Amino acid sequence: MEERYIKQINFNGIGKAGQEKLNMGRVLIIGCGALGTVVANSLARTGVGFIRIVDRDYVEVSNLHRQILFDELDAEKSVPKVEAAKAKLKKVNSLIEVEAIIKDVNSITIEKMVENIHIIIDCTDNFKTRFLINDISFKSKIPWIYGGAIGSTGVVKSFIPGKTGCFRCMLEAPPPAGTFPTCDTAGVINTTTGMVGMLQANEAIKYLAGKENEMDNKMVYFDLWENTFERIELREKKACKCCKSNMYQYLDDKEPQVLHMCGNNSLQVDPHGGKGKISLKELHKRLSSAGIMVKLTPFLLNIEVEGYEIKVFDDGRAIIKNASTTEEAMGVYSRYIGY
């Protein structure tokens, strides 16, 4: 094992003691897209002993330009991202444990996801999930690392309960829908996502190796196209509802929702909050007997009907492509899957 990691053991910042701590480290990566694949790849090669990856999505060809653990065959087979990532990572490092969870991250499911975890890494694409991560982080006293990438710009910030302010000190509430650019509207280049992911992984390595004092306490912001790089100090908010008053409204909100999924013109419907149970075989039988085009895979059921592409998971979630509104997505779910 020492031979495998000798180059980073020889680095004074890590050393043998730091490597031993990395081997014992337990990380939760929320989101397995452009950022999550970069982070997971780095931490697996670094020798972090346990990596839990959570994502609700499947691989598409449009992912391949920036999501580095996937290939064309994964997209062709619509393999869930976490399963494809796990298969690649186990080939990279068979000494570590990789746990793949195909679930939506919401207020019902997240508490179990953080069990026995040392640090959470945000690799998501929406603000509401980040506010939820912030709540569970400060309630459970588990540090988390925020990351975001749009176009050629990226941002990274670490939050450590008891030592720093929280995400709500920086932003009181999620911005209204449509007010921030997304990868659908502004695009993104893979050098941006690569840099954000590596910065996140670097901060996680410091923490797990016992070098918390070496972590950057400022927010890093950069624009690779404009060649700018800034470090911005964020002040703790004295009246912050989360880190000062221990109010966790996003964690306490247990209502299931329809969520927009960045990058593929899709909406996710999850009427059971990740706790449902559907027999995909029975649904396949029912729909195919009605003349609907369906295909059953080991992980999900593909449905093509009326111009919609629907991916149904056994926990009751469905990702519906080409539905433009919440009402439309819920109507499609009701017609073909049922509540």
Side-chain angles (χ1 to χ4, degrees):
M1 183 178 292
E2 187 166 324
E3 179 183 358
R4 183 185 190 104
Y5 305 118
I6 191 64
K7 297 297 190 296
Q8 62 195 36
I9 289 173
N10 288 343
F11 170 61
N12 288 335
I14 295 178
K16 189 172 182 178
Q19 185 62 52
E20 289 173 353
K21 290 179 180 179
L22 287 169
N23 297 152
M24 298 297 292
R26 300 178 64 88
V27 175
L28 170 62
I29 300 173
I30 298 182
C32 192
L35 303 185
T37 53
V38 171
V39 171
N41 179 65
S42 175
L43 297 186
R45 292 175 187 274
T46 299
V48 173
F50 178 86
I51 301 174
R52 178 178 292 154
I53 315 173
V54 183
D55 197 289
R56 64 197 178 194
D57 207 356
Y58 55 93
V59 181
E60 294 187 289
V61 69
S62 62
N63 302 147
L64 301 182
H65 100 280
R66 66 198 184 282
Q67 300 183 18
I68 65 171
L69 293 178
F70 311 138
D71 57 37
E72 291 178 353
L73 188 59
D74 295 325
E76 182 181 328
K77 293 185 175 181
S78 295
V79 179
K81 289 182 176 181
V82 292
E83 291 292 342
K86 178 179 178 179
K88 300 297 191 305
L89 293 175
K90 292 303 289 183
K91 291 179 180 179
V92 167
N93 192 343
S94 62
L95 301 177
I96 67 170
E97 183 179 351
V98 180
E99 181 182 2
I101 299 179
I102 312 170
K103 278 189 177 292
D104 181 44
V105 178
N106 56 49
S107 59
I108 298 172
T109 61
I110 196 169
E111 297 206 47
K112 188 163 184 63
M113 292 172 181
V114 302
E115 288 181 356
N116 301 313
I117 289 297
H118 298 148
I119 192 166
I120 305 165
I121 305 179
D122 157 46
C123 299
T124 64
D125 57 15
N126 68 87
F127 277 100
K128 182 160 186 182
T129 304
R130 290 174 180 135
F131 278 83
L132 179 61
I133 293 170
N134 188 69
D135 273 6
I136 196 69
S137 163
F138 278 78
K139 181 179 181 181
S140 304
K141 305 296 186 288
I142 303 171
W144 73 285
I145 303 173
Y146 159 57
I150 290 291
S152 61
T153 63
V155 60
V156 176
K157 176 72 175 77
S158 297
F159 298 97
I160 303 177
K163 295 189 176 181
T164 72
C166 75
F167 193 68
R168 293 191 68 181
C169 293
M170 180 175 76
L171 193 63
E172 173 62 25
T179 57
F180 265 61
T182 69
C183 50
D184 286 316
T185 59
V188 68
I189 54 176
N190 63 19
T191 47
T192 302
T193 55
M195 187 163 176
V196 170
M198 292 304 285
L199 286 171
Q200 288 181 289
N202 192 56
E203 292 301 288
I205 290 167
K206 292 177 188 177
Y207 183 82
L208 295 170
K211 304 293 183 179
E212 183 181 322
N213 291 338
E214 303 299 321
M215 295 177 72
D216 196 338
N217 60 5
K218 295 184 179 180
M219 184 176 74
V220 173
Y221 173 86
F222 62 84
D223 187 324
L224 295 182
W225 214 252
E226 298 296 329
N227 303 308
T228 59
F229 190 96
E230 302 176 56
R231 293 173 63 246
I232 303 165
E233 185 168 0
L234 299 175
R235 295 184 178 179
E236 295 184 35
K237 190 175 180 181
K238 293 182 179 179
C240 178
K241 293 179 180 178
C242 177
C243 63
K244 296 297 184 288
S245 300
N246 301 321
M247 297 171 62
Y248 309 113
Q249 70 181 79
Y250 299 94
L251 190 58
D252 293 338
D253 179 7
K254 304 299 183 184
E255 290 296 319
Q257 296 193 12
V258 175
L259 298 175
H260 172 74
M261 302 185 68
C262 180
N264 62 2
N265 190 31
S266 299
L267 292 168
Q268 176 183 264
V269 180
D270 186 12
H272 309 291
K275 289 192 172 182
K277 192 67 179 175
I278 287 182
S279 170
L280 297 181
K281 288 183 179 180
E282 288 298 320
L283 183 58
H284 175 271
K285 181 179 179 180
R286 174 166 62 85
L287 294 177
S288 60
S289 66
I292 295 172
M293 188 178 297
V294 289
K295 180 181 178 182
L296 185 63
T297 81
F299 307 106
L300 53 84
L301 182 67
N302 290 289
I303 306 170
E304 293 186 22
V305 60
E306 295 185 351
Y308 300 107
E309 296 178 28
I310 309 169
K311 311 285 185 183
V312 186
F313 298 84
D314 64 5
D315 63 358
R317 289 182 304 114
I319 296 172
I320 303 174
K321 192 169 186 177
N322 298 326
S324 56
T325 66
T326 294
E327 292 75 17
E328 182 182 1
M330 293 180 70
V332 171
Y333 189 101
S334 179
R335 284 200 302 275
Y336 297 106
I337 302 167
Y339 291 103

